[in-house]
Amino acid sequence: MPDLSSLLEARYGTTAAGSATPPVVPIAANPTLETLLQHKSVRNFLSDPLPPSTLELLTAAAQSAATSSNLQTWSAVAVTTPSLKSQAAALCGDQAFIRAAPLFVIFCADLARLTAACAQHGTPGAGLEFLEMYTMAAIDASLAAQNACVAAEALGLGACYVGAARNRPRELAELLGLPPRVVALFGLAVGRPDPGAPPATVKPRLAQDEVVRRETWGPADGDGATQQEEQAAKLAAYDEALANFNAKQGRGDAPAWTNRSAHRIATVESLHGRDIFRDVLEERGFELR
């Protein structure tokens, strides 16, 4: 079992100044931490069917996630039929790994079930008309999916999230037969990693002090210009750590993270069709008041 220091070093990478690994007290690694810290996106799958009951176990793990007020405002569509999976892949960025994976699960925000409960008990369900309920459903679905992803990895499987499920949301909803007040948020491709393909590797993340603030966002009397300079230095260090990682992966010409991220959100076109998502939500009965 790897020790925590090596797992953390892989997760945060290195720069010319050395490892960006945060200091931690001596804590023994365990299978749960090992699985979490070694998460990686797998895009090369064997086409072999998953063992019996795998979907049921992943579903149980997903349903074990926290859910606000136990309202359980998510649902999922599990696709295994090759022809349907191919059609779904075409609508989700036309990515080959979706077709190759034996299981593609589309996680959805689902307010249809609560709409039915309101009808059953003769209540108006006015709360369903508000942005809060869509937000709750999106959070519930995300928590459930992450539990399913961790469970898959604990079983020795690989997984990759697919945000491109929002690229053509109208067509995907029609393909899956989604009812009103249900919308696809993202997919999760699951399967056995292909041992003949280059292995997926742990990608460094931003330094902890860039994403976690202590007590407040920053000193109330802090100098804004100084804080901007400190952030610029942290982002430059991350650009370097990720460049080192990419070079080891044979991608030395990959753009810096800040450059790539800025271009990813530079234009409406860079959203790959997701600029219409609010319109689709409203069409599907999410009133977002």
Side-chain angles (χ1 to χ4, degrees), residues 55-123:
L55 175 59
E56 290 77 9
L57 185 56
L58 299 185
T59 301
Q63 290 188 281
S64 297
T67 169
S68 185
S69 300
N70 198 33
L71 291 178
Q72 304 179 67
T73 51
W74 68 276
S75 289
V77 180
V79 180
T80 58
T81 306
S83 59
L84 183 59
K85 187 148 50 70
S86 181
Q87 293 177 73
L91 299 175
C92 297
D94 204 24
Q95 299 176 88
F97 72 86
I98 299 174
R99 294 184 175 89
L103 174 63
F104 186 47
V105 185
I106 299 95
F107 284 85
C108 303
D110 180 2
L111 299 185
R113 187 161 41 242
L114 292 182
T115 300
C118 290
Q120 178 183 344
H121 293 280
T123 60

Side-chain angles (χ1 to χ4, degrees), residues 97-189:
F97 72 86
I98 299 174
R99 294 184 175 89
L103 174 63
F104 186 47
V105 185
I106 299 95
F107 284 85
C108 303
D110 180 2
L111 299 185
R113 187 161 41 242
L114 292 182
T115 300
C118 290
Q120 178 183 344
H121 293 280
T123 60
L128 295 173
E129 300 172 4
F130 288 82
L131 175 62
E132 158 61 15
M133 291 305 301
Y134 168 73
T135 303
M136 179 191 296
I139 293 170
D140 270 9
S142 300
L143 294 174
Q146 185 61 11
N147 260 28
C149 182
V150 172
E153 292 172 343
L155 293 171
L157 302 173
C160 186
Y161 282 102
V162 180
R166 300 187 300 280
N167 283 13
R168 297 173 65 182
R170 292 188 181 101
E171 294 93 330
L172 187 59
E174 181 178 0
L175 177 68
L176 301 178
L178 302 184
R181 283 188 166 169
V182 175
V183 68
L185 297 173
F186 52 84
L188 186 68

